[in-house]
Structures are given as structure tokens and as C-alpha cells.
Amino acid sequence: MNKTHLFLAASLFCAGSISADVPVYLDDSQPLEKRVEDALARMTLKEKIDIIHAQSKFSAPGVPRLGISELWCTDGPMGVRPEVLWDEWEQASWTNDSCTAFPSLTCLAATWDPELSRLYGKSIGEEARFRNKAVILGPGINIYRTPLNGRNFEYMGEDPYLAGRMAVDYVKGVQDNGVAVCVKHFALNNNEINRHTSNPIVDDRTLYEIYLPAFKAAAIDGGAWSFMGGYNLFRGEHASYNPILMNDILKGEWNWDGAVISDWGAVHDTETAVTGGLDMEFGSWTNGLTNGVSNAYDNYWLANPYLEGIKSGKYSEKELNDKVRRVLRLTFRTAMNRNRPWGSMGSDEHKAACRQIGGEGIVLLQNKGGLLPIDPAKVKKIAVVGENAIKMMTVGGGSSSLKAAYEITPLQGLRNRFGKDFDITYSRGYVGDTLGDYNGVKTNQDLRDFRTPEELRAEAVDAASKADIVLFFGGLNKANHNDAEDSDRLSMELPYGQDELIEALVKANPNLVVVNISGTGVAMPWASKVPAILQAWYLGNETGNALADVISGDVNPSGKLPYTYYADLMQCGAHKLGEYPGTPAKDKFGNDIFDIPYNEGIYVGYRFIDKNKLKPTFPFGHGLSYTTFKYGKATVDKTTGSAADTFTVTVPVTNTGSRKGSEIVELYISDPKASVDRPVKELKGFRKVALMPGETKTVSFEIGKDDLSFFDAKKHEWVCEPGDFEALIGASSADIRSKVKFAVK
């Protein structure tokens, strides 16, 4: 195609019409596969190699000669990352790349609401589209194996069913904008410590029942257009080009047609990258790149080394053509999709979505004596204590760090809501992380405080003793060893002496509300002494407003925990039975790695709690409301027969309180007489139902073969055995309200 032809094609393309002599690949009215094959047939060997690796930190070059667009990625999954320089991590210093910072994905999972997940995906997809990004690197859906994982706040909890259902709508919401998700980190990326050298040792049943279902849902039900491999290894081979994960499972068993993108710096050699299922290589720190030569990207493992290998006959073009097809599909679905909407950035709708998701994700863990919501008839003076009341949280934590257009702190939100009616004082209480700087983005907060811990505590206790109610804002803060990429937490305990401060505050004033801001569970040795506890997450731009909505009662809390709140690490199977963070070993090249036996097997989270009859601080699925709900008797239809039958379970739910509210009804399935060891129960459905005071609604669940099956590793297939099952309807995994048996013949 000459320049004139290309210009004409581009003009017709923008005008919405395609002439007959324009190549098929430019005509998006043609079937996708026809376009892909037409483009592939016109590409030179060098162009095929070029399209499968980066040309900058976040872009791949496309095929300029053929008018095939560049492919631009951006970090997510909670907001669109600010622009960096061409091949450096430093900021590009744009003035128009601020974004809406949405709540953490843990908060999204805590809503247990696929409709909100769709809204989340739609909103962040619109912002990515407005910035002309083709791929957003998210959502993250790795399973919470340990509460110490530094990246838990980016994921969707411990249960594969919950994570999968929430991921599906996130994927669809993003991709409706012509922006691809890149689902990550596939798979078994369950710790950040030693993340490049961790080698999980996992049996097939555990892999298929716990660590793969959410990814399968995103790939098949969500139709995700790209996946990202993890840094970790699996059975001795790196996840980004692991033939079992990528070829056998993702592209084979699931028949997935998208593109596999490496994590940045996750590729280590050419041969296994060629054969192991990797399609696009980004961020490799080859000698060429570190030395800063002009052709640095040509030195990537899938660049010149691959090209020379094909020319020498070491590799065939078969694998290359498959990679190129997948990258072309990704490009035609996104950057060259002329029907995708324009998107929007920082809109009022996005602010509203941020606030709504935050408010509905906040979990009321405890509320003895109805201390919340704040009653104006009883409260006139509020003492706010804690660094997290004033600290901005959108900056930090790793690659999900954002350049937010604004951020309303909890203290600001409270003053916006209560300032005219209440006397609100603030005391620091403790000093934690005073920095607000990550990768060149700064919050411009100066949180330095040179008083001693004793002075800070004394001031806070004095303020608490003079108030009608005390709101303590603490928890973690996205600093290293808190909630942050590339480091795990050192323990479950709260840092910076917060436990001692909470004990002192509740002694000074029993009307204490602890608002824990974190992306994962923390130890709460004071839980029995504190009347009210909120789990508040990282809530993005609208943090303060969302919190004030719940604390005031303007929003009735409805969030529920997407993970178990362990009393201590020994309630977690990964720590009770495992060898976290692994034992030293060697890979096939003789490199140092860490083997991590997943000795707990399928017993992750509440499954381990149930099996061992433990009592956590708060169970999976737990969350209170300012109203109360009564569950009626569950029933199941009698249309039984073969294992292919669908059963319908119904249960009436009534709002028995005086406030309107929403209840999340949870369905668990129990198979008490299976031929294999099975969990006491497993989540297989949930519904969020809004009810006015006194109102009753019937909630229904459909149960099919997939919900009743276990993975038989010897047969390598899912098996649904005939026999008796039980459907358990509950308000949490530990609060089962009704049970009903049914038989599969």
C-alpha cells in the first residue's frame, strides 16, 4: 500500500465508509478472522516480530506500513495511570493526565453487586478510552491465600466464585468502551515477597477448584480480550509463558482467542517464551535497555533473538503466526475499532460512581448498642483521631498508584457533612507514613510530626475524654510492608502502635468507632472492647464523602467481607500448614527460587475455618446493617432427575427494622457424602436485595451441575456425583439461616 492509498484508506475509515479496493483488514464490517488473516498475509517477517514486543514502556508499534495502529496500555485496575516518559518510569509531566481514582477492587468485591462491578468497569473504561488507551492492565483476581500478601487490596477476595462473578461484569463494562482488560496475574500470584522466584507447588484439584475459576469466568463468561501472566513460576516455569497455564488451559481447554501479555520484566529467555504461550513482551530489562542503546527494544527476548532463531531454522513461523493473530485481534477490537465510544474523564458520573461503590463497599463489622449511625440527639462533640483521617491514599502501593484529580480525606468528608451541626476536633494520635510520593506523583501533603508517641497519644486521649463520640481512623496505608506491590506485610498486627492507642482511647471513652482503612484483614485484639468497627478500604477520590455517608446514616451499609478476618495467622491454612514464604530451591537453569507447598490444598479461607471449626474475628461474608433482616424457610423445586437438571432454591427475606436497606443473601452448597473430601460448604450464589421497612421479597437461585461438581484430577474432569446435597442460605458463612436438601439422581 503506497502513501496515497494509505491516506485514502484512513480518510474513508474516518468517514465511516470503506471502498472495495481497500484491504479487508481495514474494513471492520468484515468478520474479525477474515480481517486478521488478510493483515497477517501482508506482513513481512520483521513486521510480525515487531508487533509482538514493546516499542516503549507502554506501547507496541503496530505495522505503520499497513496502517495498523500502535497499541497503548495503561496500568490499572483502579484508575488510569499518569503518563510516563517513552522508555523510563519517570513522569512525563503532563498537566491533563489526572484521573478518577476508584475504590480498591477489594472494596468492589465487598459490594457483592455485579451491577456495581459493571458500573465500575464502564467508568474506568470510559477514562481509559478518553486517554486513547487500548488495554487497561486489570482487573486483578488472584485469590487471597494469605492476609500478608501486599497486593491483596488489588484483588477480589478469597472465594473463586465471588471473584469470578464480580470480574465478569468488570470485564464487560470496560470492553463496552472498546478498551481491552488485561486480566491478571494468571495464575498463583499469591504473595509479593520473592515474587519473581516463587514456585507454588499446587495439586491439580486445588488449581482447578480454587485458583483457576475466577480466571475462567473472566475468559469465557466475560470474554476478556487479554490476560497477563504473573512473575511467579508454576511447576518450575515462569507463569508468563507457562505451557500448562497458557497453552493447555487458557488457550486449549478454554478455547480462548485473546492475547497473553507479559508483566513488565517477567520474561527471561527466548525459547520458552516462544513455545510457552506468550504473545506480547513488555518491560524486559535486557542489557540493551539498561545500557540505553537506541535499539533497546530490538534486544527483547521476542525481538531480534526470536527473528534470528526463525532465520536459522531453530524456530518455525507457526508459533509466531499464532501470536500475531492474537495481537491483531486485540488491535482490531480496540485501537482500530471505529465504533468505540469517545469516553470521558473525571465526569460527574464517575465521581458519583466512585462515591456509590465506596459507600456500598464499606462493611459494618460491629455495632454494639447502635452507636452508628451518629445520632444528632445524643452527639454534639466528635473527636476524630488517627493519621488515616488526613492521609491521602491514592498515591502509593505500586503500579496501581494514581494521579488523582482530587481526594477528599475522611476528616474533610466528616466536616463537609457534620461541620455545621457538631464540634469536630482532630488529634493525630500516631505518626505512620509521612510520604506522599510515588514514581514522581506527589500528594503535596506534609505529614511530618516531631512529637513523641507519648505526646501524640496523650493529646488524643484527652480529646477523646471530652467528646460524645470518638472516630478513630487507622489501619494500613499503602507503604512498603503495609498494602503495597513488591512487599508483603510482616505480621497481621497494626503498625505504628495503633493497638495500644485504641486500647487507651476506648478506656477514655467507651463510645469509640474504629474505622480500619486497609485492603486486607488485620489483627484486632481489642475487638471485644470496641462497640463499633467499620472496614473502610481505599476508597479513591470520594473517600471522605463515602465514609461520611455511612457514618451519618445517609447510606445504610450493605457491604460484606470478601475474605475471612482471621483472629491470628494460625487460623489461615497457608500459615498453619504451609511454608510461607517458601524454601530455597533451584530452577532448571540452576537459578535460585523458592518452592511454596500449598499444603492446605482446597481449604482456603472459610473452607479452612469450617473444616477445623475455628472462630475468626469476623467470618467470610459478614456485614451488618442499620436495619435487620429475617430469612424465611428455603424451598427447592422437586424437578429432580439427571445431574444435568437445574434446581431452583427460593427463600423469602423481610426487612424487620425501621430503615430501608439492602441485604446480601448468600447461597452455599454442601455435599456431605461425597466419594472425596469436600469442604463443609462452598459459595455458589449470592443476591443483593433492597427492602423497605416491613417489605418481603423472595430471592431465587438456580443451581446447576457446575455448582455441584468437584474436580477429579485422575480423570481430569469435573464430576457431579448422584446423591443428596444441601443448599444453605445465610447472611455469612457462619450465619446460616435456612437449609434445604435435594437429591441428584
Side-chain angles (χ1 to χ4, degrees), residues 106-171:
T106 314
C107 175
L108 177 62
T111 70
W112 292 59
D113 189 341
E115 290 185 9
L116 281 184
S117 193
R118 188 67 170 260
L119 174 64
Y120 192 119
K122 175 181 181 293
S123 302
I124 196 173
E126 287 172 347
E127 300 221 343
R129 172 65 187 98
F130 185 83
R131 290 266 297 280
N132 204 27
K133 306 301 182 184
V135 182
I136 188 164
L137 306 178
I141 54 175
N142 289 103
I143 295 298
Y144 280 30
R145 180 175 178 256
T146 164
L148 301 188
N149 182 15
R151 218 162 178 178
N152 275 349
F153 72 99
E154 289 189 38
Y155 300 146
M156 294 194 185
E158 72 184 34
D159 184 78
Y161 182 87
L162 174 62
R165 296 326 306 160
M166 296 299 288
V168 165
D169 282 271
Y170 179 108
V171 170

Side-chain angles (χ1 to χ4, degrees), residues 284-343:
S284 291
W285 298 303
T286 63
N287 287 336
L289 188 56
T290 56
N291 289 339
V293 298
S294 60
N295 66 336
Y297 295 97
D298 289 336
N299 292 325
Y300 275 22
W301 301 107
L302 289 183
N304 281 346
Y306 190 12
L307 178 63
E308 295 305 316
I310 291 177
K311 289 180 177 179
S312 69
K314 183 177 181 179
Y315 310 117
S316 73
E317 283 193 60
K318 178 182 177 182
E319 293 89 356
L320 175 60
N321 286 340
D322 181 68
K323 299 177 194 302
V324 174
R325 286 187 179 97
R326 293 174 181 275
V327 175
L328 287 171
R329 287 189 197 108
L330 181 60
T331 304
F332 293 154
R333 285 165 167 163
T334 58
M336 293 183 69
N337 174 6
R338 60 180 173 148
N339 295 314
R340 60 179 180 158
W342 288 106

Side-chain angles (χ1 to χ4, degrees), residues 162-369:
L162 174 62
R165 296 326 306 160
M166 296 299 288
V168 165
D169 282 271
Y170 179 108
V171 170
K172 290 180 177 179
V174 171
Q175 293 187 169
D176 283 347
N177 292 279
V179 175
V181 298
C182 188
V183 181
K184 62 185 189 182
H185 301 86
F186 188 63
L188 300 164
N189 192 152
N190 304 120
N191 52 274
E192 287 297 294
I193 187 173
N194 304 326
R195 62 177 178 165
H196 291 274
T197 52
S198 291
N199 182 43
I201 299 174
V202 187
D203 64 85
D204 273 0
R205 184 180 175 197
T206 300
L207 179 69
Y208 276 81
E209 290 193 14
I210 302 297
Y211 297 103
L212 292 184
F215 288 103
K216 183 178 181 181
I220 297 177
D221 299 334
W225 293 335
S226 68
F227 263 48
M228 177 184 287
Y231 284 126
N232 57 285
L233 296 87
F234 173 57
R235 295 180 183 168
E237 190 58 81
H238 285 277
S240 281
Y241 39 88
N242 188 287
I244 299 172
L245 294 174
M246 300 304 179
N247 291 335
D248 296 348
I249 297 174
L250 180 60
K251 297 177 179 179
E253 294 176 17
W254 300 349
N255 196 30
W256 181 74
D257 70 354
V260 173
I261 298 175
S262 73
D263 206 340
W264 272 234
V267 186
H268 305 279
D269 70 277
T270 298
E271 184 170 350
T272 45
V274 168
T275 60
L278 178 65
D279 300 313
M280 296 191 78
E281 178 185 4
F282 277 88
S284 291
W285 298 303
T286 63
N287 287 336
L289 188 56
T290 56
N291 289 339
V293 298
S294 60
N295 66 336
Y297 295 97
D298 289 336
N299 292 325
Y300 275 22
W301 301 107
L302 289 183
N304 281 346
Y306 190 12
L307 178 63
E308 295 305 316
I310 291 177
K311 289 180 177 179
S312 69
K314 183 177 181 179
Y315 310 117
S316 73
E317 283 193 60
K318 178 182 177 182
E319 293 89 356
L320 175 60
N321 286 340
D322 181 68
K323 299 177 194 302
V324 174
R325 286 187 179 97
R326 293 174 181 275
V327 175
L328 287 171
R329 287 189 197 108
L330 181 60
T331 304
F332 293 154
R333 285 165 167 163
T334 58
M336 293 183 69
N337 174 6
R338 60 180 173 148
N339 295 314
R340 60 179 180 158
W342 288 106
S344 57
M345 198 81 179
S347 67
D348 290 342
E349 290 80 7
H350 295 170
K351 296 173 186 177
C354 180
R355 186 168 180 170
Q356 181 184 2
I357 293 164
E360 295 194 36
I362 292 170
V363 183
L364 180 61
L365 295 176
Q366 192 162 281
N367 195 26
K368 297 176 182 177

Side-chain angles (χ1 to χ4, degrees), residues 99-111:
C99 71
T100 301
F102 294 94
S104 65
L105 291 192
T106 314
C107 175
L108 177 62
T111 70

